[in-house]
Amino acid sequence: MVDYYDDPYLEDESDERFKEWYEVEGVNKIKELSRQLRTFFNYKAEVIRYRFRSSLSPLQNRDLSTFFAQKQELYSIASKFIQLLKQIKNNAQTLEVGIQNLAIGFEDALLKQLITITQKLFVLIHHFSEEDISDHPKLLHFMVKLAREACIVKMCLNLSLGEYYAELELNYDSLEKELEYLLLEKGTNGQIIRKKKLKERIS
Amino acid sequence: MTDHMKVSRKDLGEDRIAICSKFGCDSMKRVKPLKFGFFGFGKYPICKKHRIPLVYVDERIGEFVDGALACLFDKAGLPPNDLLTIITAEYPDELKSFIHGWVYCITVGRGAPVVSRYLDSISNTYLKQLTKKQVKSIKKDKNKKTDHLYQAIKKGMKEIAMQYTRLLKHLRVHSEVLVDHKSLNALSRNLRSDLTEWEKKILSIYASPEKETGMTLLEAKHYYDKNLNVSTCRCLLGMESKLKKVKITAFDRFSAYLDFFLENITEKFTNSDIKVLYSDIELNPIKKEMIIEKKTHNNFKSINNYQEIKEYLRNLDWESLTNNWALLLREHHTHPYKKILLDPHKEPSHENPL
């Protein structure tokens, strides 16, 4: 056991090639898995904060101009993403079948576009997960929905991590349903909907 | 090769190697974690070059995920008794809401958002170790090709992805089975205020351990559980679960819990454990009466009441209430915790503190 740890790790040229491959197949994939996990739990934490926060708690003090600029960028990319998904789903029964047909049908341009947009979208999904958006419930709901759709795309495109993205998609789906119910209960203004009391009259 | 201390574990006679998870970094240390005593906080060795914690080498990556799950679903994470007593006395109508809300917040409160940081280090080390072993075996056996190395990496990555998926699945199942989102209710302002007070009180006692070294595993677990319960409480109040006063890193908490898990001092909570929390108060009229008496500041230990209570305790059907009579007790904060088993059929005494 002592000898094993004493051996040097890299020796000759072929190891350089292997090192690059290791970075791609190993380190980057682990980074991706960890990042996705963190993003999901960040959104879950935001849903919990939205659910239980006091009505008296102050809104976050943030740089609004930067925040709105990032929101604009998000909506722009999300819009392209949604258009692309609609186009792919057009001739197929489900989105998954549509994406698989892209690969089989050698529609490289469309496939490449989908990969690029999904990648850009995930960067923004990760970014917003680190922002405190519990006081923006509609945006929070939108992010969770987007993340779910992006997971479906990743599940179809990435065979080696397919099961992971399938499970992640189920988690986002569950979170989305919970948030939808919560939004309905609380009302879009974040206020609890009070039932109107009818006045009793003596006829 | 850098630091090399040749020490061995007293009980198992094994070395424990900690290495840096960064690719190509040779930083390594042989450390001696004792089972009892000398369990330190923030004392995990760090790589001098990269300033990140060294990770204990273990090819069984599943065990690390077991440790993380043990932390997130430990029974000690359920609402503590002192809080339940306050809520039963002051806010009996909100008891169920409080318990359901607490269980809903448990995984996030106890560190689910930061589990990725811990798993990141572990996964990188696991893959690095796997690769090292494969490189060595290829060099020894000239018939083996580099293709074997690539296959080993792919297999390792598949294992890592499977463990991440397992973690997500556990958390989803917890959410579906143990929590009904539609029945979660907001807490009243007064209860929220009391919870904030409780949180401050616990932090003032447990924010910094009395001694950084010299705690037993049970004491260390108690310390972690108290602080993690405060994080869960903060979630329930709609606040950030991160504690500024207490610096428990992801690595500290999940590594500690892996040790607790391997020593079998963790226990996963179930639906029955949750139901026992509020049924225990409902079914036991004496306990309810005790809490009400405490609230109205009556002298509960008057002779007549005491004799009646003793008689009632002797005749009660204890098996129908609970089957967990184990208790961690210590006489003084400097003494270690002792595990004792209560016997409700015997007289209450110093050795049987019912």
Side-chain angles (χ1 to χ4, degrees):
Chain A
M1 195 174 173
V2 176
D3 289 343
Y4 164 71
Y5 289 109
D6 282 340
D7 278 353
Y9 194 92
L10 300 170
E11 273 194 354
D12 52 44
E13 276 179 14
S14 64
D15 288 333
E16 263 311 306
R17 193 167 39 104
F18 160 73
K19 187 183 173 184
E20 281 171 22
W21 188 88
Y22 180 93
E23 287 282 342
V24 168
E25 284 297 317
V27 175
N28 288 348
K29 275 197 172 160
I30 291 169
K31 246 189 225 173
E32 190 184 341
L33 290 172
S34 295
R35 180 66 256 193
Q36 292 288 0
L37 199 66
R38 182 176 170 78
T39 297
F40 170 72
F41 286 122
N42 281 348
Y43 281 124
K44 181 142 178 99
E46 288 301 301
V47 170
I48 292 174
R49 284 182 71 184
Y50 171 60
R51 181 188 280 280
F52 288 123
R53 65 180 182 161
S54 159
S55 52
L56 300 172
S57 59
L59 293 176
Q60 278 296 314
N61 199 11
R62 53 160 62 97
D63 179 5
L64 289 174
S65 54
T66 319
F67 183 69
F68 285 127
Q70 286 161 350
K71 259 179 96 174
Q72 282 301 111
E73 192 190 345
L74 170 74
Y75 288 140
S76 162
I77 292 177
S79 163
K80 287 179 190 166
F81 178 71
I82 293 163
Q83 292 289 346
L84 195 55
L85 292 186
K86 277 184 182 168
Q87 191 183 344
I88 291 167
K89 203 183 165 185
N90 211 9
N91 301 322
Q93 285 176 338
T94 61
L95 180 62
E96 290 93 316
V97 171
I99 296 171
Q100 280 159 16
N101 288 344
L102 286 185
I104 298 167
F106 300 106
E107 290 188 61
D108 290 345
L110 208 55
L111 195 63
K112 202 176 176 184
Q113 202 183 352
L114 182 65
I115 293 169
T116 312
I117 284 185
T118 309
Q119 206 54 40
K120 281 184 182 172
L121 189 64
F122 261 126
V123 168
L124 287 165
I125 289 171
H126 296 323
H127 168 77
F128 275 98
S129 78
E130 301 291 344
E131 296 281 323
D132 183 11
I133 57 172
S134 60
D135 49 355
H136 291 77
K138 274 176 135 180
L139 175 63
L140 180 59
H141 186 224
F142 183 61
M143 295 310 304
V144 171
K145 268 174 112 166
L146 269 181
R148 188 177 74 88
E149 296 295 324
C151 281
I152 294 174
V153 172
K154 276 282 197 176
M155 180 179 76
C156 299
L157 295 176
N158 197 332
L159 291 172
S160 59
L161 298 179
E163 275 180 41
Y164 175 75
Y165 279 106
E167 185 57 46
L168 191 60
E169 188 263 322
L170 287 173
N171 277 276
Y172 273 118
D173 183 54
S174 194
L175 193 63
E176 192 208 325
K177 284 183 176 128
E178 182 196 330
L179 194 46
E180 220 166 78
Y181 183 83
L182 196 57
L183 281 168
L184 218 68
E185 208 181 33
K186 280 198 170 189
T188 50
N189 295 328
Q191 302 294 322
I192 296 166
I193 299 170
R194 296 185 195 282
K195 287 183 184 170
K196 199 172 176 181
K197 262 188 173 176
L198 296 170
K199 284 182 185 173
E200 285 178 286
R201 279 184 178 178
I202 301 167
S203 55
Chain B
M1 196 50 62
T2 54
D3 304 278
H4 223 86
M5 293 185 309
K6 279 196 180 180
V7 288
S8 58
R9 289 177 71 175
K10 274 180 185 173
D11 300 297
L12 301 180
E14 280 177 21
D15 291 354
R16 223 174 158 188
I17 310 289
I19 67 167
C20 177
S21 59
K22 280 284 180 188
F23 182 88
C25 180
D26 291 333
S27 183
M28 194 179 94
K29 213 169 193 174
R30 200 167 268 157
V31 293
K32 181 182 94 169
L34 294 180
K35 261 177 148 181
F36 301 109
F38 308 107
F39 188 93
F41 294 94
K43 295 287 183 198
Y44 289 94
I46 59 168
C47 172
K48 285 176 184 173
K49 190 177 168 189
H50 298 103
R51 313 301 298 169
I52 55 173
L54 301 185
V55 180
Y56 290 122
V57 168
D58 198 309
E59 278 192 63
R60 298 183 299 280
I61 189 171
E63 220 166 55
F64 290 98
V65 174
D66 285 338
L69 289 171
C71 175
L72 298 175
F73 294 104
D74 191 48
K75 215 167 169 175
L78 289 175
N81 284 328
D82 52 350
L83 255 185
L84 287 172
T85 309
I86 296 168
I87 291 164
T88 312
E90 309 277 344
Y91 314 97
D93 297 333
E94 291 189 76
L95 180 66
K96 269 190 182 173
S97 298
F98 166 75
I99 292 171
H100 287 309
W102 185 284
V103 173
Y104 172 71
C105 296
I106 265 182
T107 49
V108 170
R110 287 176 80 82
V114 295
V115 76
S116 61
R117 285 188 203 157
Y118 171 67
L119 287 182
D120 201 52
S121 309
I122 300 296
S123 305
N124 274 303
T125 310
Y126 166 74
L127 203 59
K128 185 179 162 185
Q129 282 306 106
L130 197 68
T131 317
K132 261 188 175 176
K133 280 195 169 177
Q134 201 61 19
V135 164
K136 185 177 158 68
S137 95
I138 285 168
K139 280 172 182 163
K140 261 189 175 173
D141 182 357
K142 286 174 187 173
N143 292 324
K144 278 195 175 177
K145 299 174 189 176
T146 46
D147 187 48
H148 287 111
L149 179 59
Y150 297 139
Q151 290 306 322
I153 305 300
K154 271 196 168 167
K155 194 179 166 189
M157 267 317 304
K158 201 176 170 184
E159 175 68 24
I160 289 167
M162 194 189 84
Q163 292 302 330
Y164 273 80
T165 311
R166 184 164 80 100
L167 182 77
L168 273 174
K169 202 168 187 174
H170 260 90
L171 285 146
R172 179 171 58 85
V173 167
H174 155 266
S175 184
E176 285 169 6
V177 171
L178 299 173
V179 181
D180 177 15
H181 305 125
K182 294 182 183 175
S183 67
L184 291 168
N185 294 315
L187 305 174
S188 66
R189 205 170 285 177
N190 290 336
L191 174 52
R192 292 174 66 90
S193 170
D194 280 356
L195 287 175
T196 310
E197 286 306 311
W198 175 85
E199 179 211 328
K200 283 179 188 165
K201 183 186 124 193
I202 297 295
L203 278 180
S204 67
I205 302 167
Y206 291 97
S208 52
E210 285 141 16
K211 39 191 183 288
E212 286 211 350
T213 56
M215 274 200 193
T216 64
L217 272 179
L218 281 174
E219 281 180 330
K221 187 175 182 294
H222 183 75
Y223 165 79
Y224 274 108
D225 287 333
K226 283 290 179 191
N227 281 291
L228 294 179
N229 280 349
V230 168
S231 294
T232 309
C233 185
R234 286 175 66 85
C235 270
L236 192 52
L237 292 170
M239 297 195 277
E240 260 192 58
S241 59
K242 273 184 249 177
L243 298 169
K244 286 178 186 168
K245 283 182 188 175
V246 184
K247 290 183 181 169
I248 300 178
T249 65
F251 200 82
D252 278 342
R253 109 183 44 188
F254 293 113
S255 298
Y257 251 89
L258 176 62
D259 284 337
F260 303 151
F261 172 73
L262 294 172
E263 294 300 324
N264 292 317
I265 57 172
T266 61
E267 193 182 344
K268 212 171 167 181
F269 68 83
T270 60
N271 232 339
S272 327
D273 295 320
I274 298 164
K275 284 180 184 163
V276 157
L277 291 176
Y278 46 82
S279 62
D280 187 36
I281 305 284
E282 282 172 5
L283 288 173
N284 191 343
I286 288 299
K287 200 167 181 179
K288 227 178 184 171
E289 196 184 308
M290 278 171 74
I291 290 162
I292 291 164
E293 287 287 331
K294 201 176 172 183
K295 184 186 172 183
T296 55
H297 304 290
N298 281 344
N299 184 3
F300 189 61
K301 282 189 177 176
S302 65
I303 293 168
N304 290 340
N305 270 347
Y306 192 57
Q307 292 300 337
E308 281 168 15
I309 289 161
K310 274 174 82 172
E311 199 53 46
Y312 183 89
L313 284 172
R314 214 175 279 123
N315 299 325
L316 202 63
D317 179 16
W318 293 97
E319 275 76 29
S320 68
L321 293 176
T322 182
N323 55 7
N324 181 12
W325 291 98
L327 196 70
L328 284 174
L329 203 68
R330 62 177 176 183
E331 287 178 355
H332 192 262
H333 67 263
T334 54
H335 294 172
Y337 275 99
K338 282 188 287 184
K339 199 171 183 178
I340 60 168
L341 206 62
L342 296 174
D343 188 351
H345 299 291
K346 285 186 180 166
E347 286 283 321
S349 65
H350 186 67
E351 286 77 32
N352 189 31
L354 286 169

